[in-house]
Amino acid sequence: EHAPQKTDLKTTALNTLRSVFGYQSFRKGQEEVIHAALSGQDALVVMATGNGKSLCYQIPALCFPGLTLVISPLISLMKDQVDQLQANGIEADFLNSSQPSEQQQKVENKLISGQLKLLYVSPEKVMTNSFFQLISYAQISFIAIDEAHCISQWGHDFRPEYTLLGNLRNTFPNIPLMALTATADPTTRADILLHLRLNEPHTYLGSFDRPNIRYTVQEKFKPMEQLAKFIAGQKGKSGIVYCNSRKK
């Protein structure tokens, strides 16, 4: 008896992609991850930057009733994403330490009155008693944890406050959790599953092959001549040449 609802949600997801974000079809990996979330399943998403990772949680957020929490350690990215969502007419906002208290109060009032669809929040803010009190006033439908590799001590970007995020499972045992990262080796992935207590998650491991990027290393012979020849062959294209120093 639940099948029609799932179909409706899938249709809603595609309509949201088109009407809100202006894309005609999903990119590789997005659709399966979004459908898993909409059917109430946890997910682990490893997807290269630039492949549309944020849509994997933004679209379910707009399909679910109630509020989606997005946990991210990157304050500038948080602001960019909220600005973009608001420009698309979506009720989104953020809470972090960069805001004056009166601005935080405004966001909290929006949350309490049920105006928000997405709330971006820093990990250190999430795990405070005051925040738990605040979100008890909201209907939380979905939680996305971005930059999830920060939970692993083996990752390059470990943040101790991320290790506490597994406690969200106690407070919200029945809502889907999605962990997302652009970079995670098998050890880091195992840490994400363990610490966030993801329950039989749908796992998507995207390809990191970029056919438009090629690395080559050449021995220096006549460097200026080699460089001039290389650049001459790149007319109308772009590329990067690494040097030890500007002077050299």
Side-chain angles (χ1 to χ4, degrees):
E1 68 201 61
H2 294 297
Q5 191 195 359
K6 281 186 188 176
T7 310
D8 291 349
L9 282 174
K10 285 181 179 183
T11 310
T12 308
L14 185 59
N15 290 343
T16 304
L17 179 79
R18 289 173 176 171
S19 62
V20 178
F21 297 99
Y23 299 110
Q24 284 312 296
S25 56
F26 288 108
R27 283 188 186 179
K28 190 168 166 42
Q30 287 177 330
E31 192 170 20
E32 56 182 86
V33 167
I34 289 166
H35 290 173
L38 292 175
S39 64
Q41 197 180 354
D42 287 351
L44 170 61
V45 181
V46 183
M47 194 179 273
T49 304
N51 281 3
K53 190 159 51 86
S54 54
L55 286 182
C56 291
Y57 60 81
Q58 288 171 348
I59 287 179
L62 298 179
C63 295
F64 281 129
L67 176 71
T68 289
L69 284 183
V70 181
I71 298 158
S72 169
L74 305 171
I75 287 175
S76 58
L77 187 77
M78 224 185 252
K79 187 180 181 324
D80 286 350
Q81 293 214 349
V82 166
D83 286 348
Q84 204 178 346
L85 289 165
Q86 287 178 347
N88 285 340
I90 294 160
E91 292 292 347
D93 223 316
F94 62 87
L95 277 175
N96 62 46
S97 55
S98 74
Q99 296 162 299
S101 55
E102 57 272 21
Q103 196 184 346
Q104 291 196 30
Q105 190 62 58
K106 273 185 191 166
V107 177
E108 288 173 9
N109 291 344
K110 277 202 268 185
L111 180 142
I112 291 165
S113 63
Q115 287 175 50
L116 287 179
K117 281 306 288 173
L118 287 107
L119 178 66
Y120 283 73
V121 63
S122 56
E124 55 277 10
K125 180 93 179 162
V126 167
M127 299 319 293
T128 59
N129 288 334
S130 59
F131 187 74
F132 269 94
Q133 258 176 320
L134 176 70
I135 55 174
S136 67
Y137 293 101
Q139 182 198 344
I140 306 288
S141 302
F142 182 41
I143 297 176
I145 298 169
D146 206 1
E147 309 298 327
H149 60 274
C150 294
I151 208 164
S152 175
Q153 300 206 34
W154 307 103
H156 58 85
D157 213 3
F158 174 62
R159 302 208 175 205
E161 59 273 18
Y162 257 67
T163 54
L164 300 171
L165 293 177
N167 295 332
L168 288 166
R169 186 49 94 204
N170 299 341
T171 315
F172 305 106
N174 301 317
I175 69 162
L177 265 172
M178 183 183 285
L180 305 103
T181 175
T183 163
D185 58 18
T187 314
T188 305
R189 292 201 299 271
D191 269 358
I192 292 169
L193 297 179
L194 177 73
H195 294 310
L196 289 179
R197 291 158 46 193
L198 299 181
N199 184 21
E200 295 183 9
H202 174 89
T203 302
Y204 176 77
L205 299 178
S207 165
F208 287 81
D209 176 41
R210 299 282 186 92
N212 61 328
I213 297 177
R214 202 174 72 247
Y215 286 101
T216 53
V217 180
Q218 293 183 3
E219 206 174 332
K220 277 203 292 192
F221 171 56
K222 291 181 176 170
M224 283 309 285
E225 228 172 88
Q226 282 173 295
L227 187 58
K229 192 177 167 189
F230 172 72
I231 291 171
Q234 302 300 312
K235 271 212 170 83
K237 298 185 217 162
S238 57
I240 300 169
V241 179
Y242 290 93
C243 314
N244 282 345
S245 68
R246 235 185 273 197
K247 194 176 168 198
K248 277 195 174 182

